[in-house]
Amino acid sequence: MTTQAGVAVRVIATRVVDAVMHRGRSLKAELAANLPRVEDTRDRALLEAICFAVLRSRARSDAALAAWMPKPLGRSENELRALLHVGFAQVVVMGLPAHAALSATVEAVRALGRPHQDKLVNALLRRAQREGLPAAQADALWPAWLRQQVRQDWPAQADDIFAASQQEAPLWLRVNRLRGNRDAYRQRLLDAGIEVEVPDGVPDALLLRAPVAATGLPGFAQGDVSVQDGAAQRVAALLDGLPAGARVLDMCAAPGGKSAHLLERDPTRRLLAIDVDARRLQRVRETFDRVGVQADMKAADAADPSVWWDGEPFDAVLLDAPCSATGIVRRQPDVLLHRRADDLVALTRLQARLLDAAWQVLRPGGCLVYTTCSILRAENALQLEAFRARHAAALVEPLDETWGHADGGGRQRLPGESDMDGFFYAVLRKA
């Protein structure tokens, strides 16, 4: 017998997928709005897993619908298309028990007010169960302009980038140094029956291959641990050479993970966290409260120091810049649905403005760390080269090969390398 909760999960998943695929909504925002409606933590995990599986496999599901439907589904049938994607993902991609997945999904058709289409859905899902879904190229989900740009920027690595971006990312944890050490927290995970790995080169990190809800981690609510990819965790090490009490600026701080990590490593730092969105800055405050650190915060346009800077120079500036997010497609697969070529033009202009503002408020001898979660050279190596052309006093501090591929004075890690997200790092010293 199909449970009501199981049907409800498929109904909600269909509505989330419909909103993301057909109405331009953010997957993160849709899940944030809908997950609280599901009571059981296992059902919440299932809902999230279905939505991610749908977006990673939508090229194959679209190919199946094109081949198997007697006529194409029109816009008025977007909800049905979303539900079929939900069903295909469960049966083929996730490998859920076929009977339960089929039964709950067919029941969801009726719950969505489409009882006349239950036989069609049942027949298509059973065909997917028998035959699987048609194959699709690893780059099929990428818009043509973006696919071409990745191949131009990284010709030798492009196929690996596309393949890695389709994979489910592991769960990286950051152990709070103020509350304990990595070895002790690893033992807490093992005692809780959670398998864990200790990665090299990221001293506060632990790696989980199987997903676990953050709220199910020991001590999460108390701030003992946070969820943060290893590539993002490495940023803090770029500022380890600062003296105690250094004045530090995080220019685009939300959601606060990097600022929190900087303070966990040295709580004497006088840190100012800025974000243009006051609502997002509230999330930073909540993160700080949870992990037990303190900092000043301002809601302002960081690119315009005249509205927020008090005139006292900073010893270091962290600019984790707004970007195309092309390095984290495996975590945000809807990026490929929403990103447009003109977005890149606007983003590179904003990055340049933020870099110039960072340089203005940095003291002579100070350190500017520029990072993005992009793999596009326009936002990274070329952005850095243009900045150095504008500012003769900008001296590049070299990073070794553990930071990724050398590119334009910085280092580029590509998606999946060392199990991490795609990330760009550069360190500039103000002569």
Side-chain angles (χ1 to χ4, degrees):
M1 180 69 70
T2 304
T3 67
Q4 284 188 319
V7 175
V9 165
R10 275 73 177 185
V11 168
I12 296 172
T14 297
R15 288 173 173 157
V16 168
V17 168
D18 185 22
V20 173
M21 285 178 50
H22 304 129
R23 299 201 298 277
R25 296 298 304 273
S26 155
L27 175 61
K28 185 184 293 185
E30 287 297 308
L31 286 174
N34 284 281
L35 284 172
R37 298 170 53 198
V38 182
E39 292 184 7
D40 192 292
T41 56
R42 292 166 298 180
D43 288 337
R44 286 199 292 271
L46 175 60
L47 168 61
E48 195 166 16
I50 290 173
C51 293
F52 274 89
V54 166
L55 294 177
R56 291 190 181 110
S57 62
R58 61 187 173 84
R60 297 175 65 198
S61 295
D62 281 337
L65 291 176
W68 298 346
M69 290 291 290
K71 62 179 182 179
L73 292 170
R75 289 186 178 181
S76 63
E77 299 292 347
N78 279 345
E79 187 177 67
L80 175 61
R81 181 185 293 106
L83 182 133
L84 288 166
H85 275 258
V86 165
F88 292 155
Q90 294 172 76
V91 172
V92 179
V93 181
M94 300 172 69
L96 297 182
H99 175 73
L102 263 69
S103 178
T105 307
V106 171
E107 283 293 330
V109 183
R110 302 178 185 123
L112 287 164
R114 297 174 170 270
H116 58 290
Q117 293 173 322
D118 58 357
K119 290 183 175 58
L120 170 66
V121 170
N122 185 59
L124 289 170
L125 296 189
R126 290 191 180 279
R127 182 168 181 178
Q129 181 189 1
R130 291 192 308 271
E131 302 177 16
L133 295 174
Q137 294 293 323
D139 62 0
L141 294 176
W142 292 65
W145 70 271
L146 188 52
R147 181 168 61 241
Q148 179 181 356
Q149 190 63 59
V150 173
R151 291 198 178 279
Q152 178 179 318
D153 288 353
W154 300 100
Q157 298 89 358
D159 287 337
D160 290 339
I161 290 170
F162 297 133
S165 296
Q166 280 192 312
Q167 303 304 310
E168 183 177 359
L171 183 66
W172 285 81
L173 306 182
R174 187 187 78 235
V175 178
N176 186 349
R177 292 187 180 191
L178 301 177
R179 303 290 177 90
N181 62 61
R182 177 167 72 170
D183 289 342
Y185 192 80
R186 173 178 174 273
Q187 189 58 51
R188 292 172 68 182
L189 291 174
L190 293 174
D191 292 343
I194 299 173
E195 294 187 13
V196 58
E197 299 175 20
V198 180
D200 294 330
V202 194
D204 299 318
L206 292 169
L207 184 65
L208 308 185
R209 297 290 174 185
V212 176
T215 52
L217 295 167
F220 179 83
Q222 293 73 36
D224 298 348
V225 70
S226 299
V227 174
Q228 186 180 41
D229 187 82
Q233 288 192 46
R234 293 208 69 188
V235 172
L238 298 173
L239 295 167
D240 275 351
L242 296 175
R247 179 170 160 87
V248 180
L249 170 66
D250 186 349
M251 293 189 78
C252 303
K258 296 180 185 68
S259 282
H261 195 196
L262 290 174
L263 293 169
E264 289 169 10
R265 291 168 81 107
D266 182 358
T268 72
R269 289 167 173 162
R270 296 175 294 145
L271 188 140
L272 173 61
I274 292 182
D275 200 88
V276 71
D277 188 333
R279 292 169 300 178
R280 283 167 53 83
L281 206 59
Q282 179 58 33
R283 289 184 59 196
V284 178
R285 188 180 307 278
E286 291 166 0
T287 296
F288 288 176
D289 289 345
R290 185 179 63 81
V291 303
V293 299
Q294 293 184 330
D296 293 329
M297 286 178 249
K298 286 187 179 178
D301 178 3
D304 185 4
S306 66
V307 302
W308 58 264
W309 186 38
D310 63 5
E312 181 185 353
F314 291 89
D315 298 301
V317 177
L318 169 60
L319 172 53
D320 184 41
C323 70
S324 62
T326 43
I328 57 171
V329 168
R330 61 184 191 165
R331 296 191 186 279
Q332 297 183 18
D334 55 321
V335 164
L336 300 179
L337 279 166
H338 305 325
R339 191 64 65 225
R340 301 289 182 267
D342 53 1
D343 295 341
L344 192 59
V345 175
L347 284 166
T348 53
R349 288 174 179 166
L350 175 58
Q351 291 155 5
R353 288 181 59 225
L354 287 165
L355 278 164
D356 289 341
W359 204 243
Q360 178 183 340
V361 303
L362 184 67
R363 70 166 175 82
C367 170
L368 167 59
V369 173
Y370 177 70
T371 64
T372 75
C373 57
S374 169
I375 58 172
L376 302 182
R377 300 191 75 235
E379 299 179 277
N380 297 333
L382 299 181
Q383 186 70 264
L384 194 62
E385 290 173 4
F387 175 79
R388 292 167 65 195
R390 296 194 302 273
H391 300 279
L395 306 177
V396 170
E397 294 205 342
L399 301 173
D400 64 35
E401 64 276 2
T402 66
W403 295 88
H405 306 263
D407 199 28
R411 288 278 179 173
Q412 178 73 63
R413 186 181 304 283
L414 298 175
E417 293 179 339
S418 300
D419 287 313
M420 298 183 196
D421 290 340
F423 223 85
F424 181 78
Y425 311 88
V427 182
L428 300 164
R429 184 73 59 179
K430 192 172 188 177

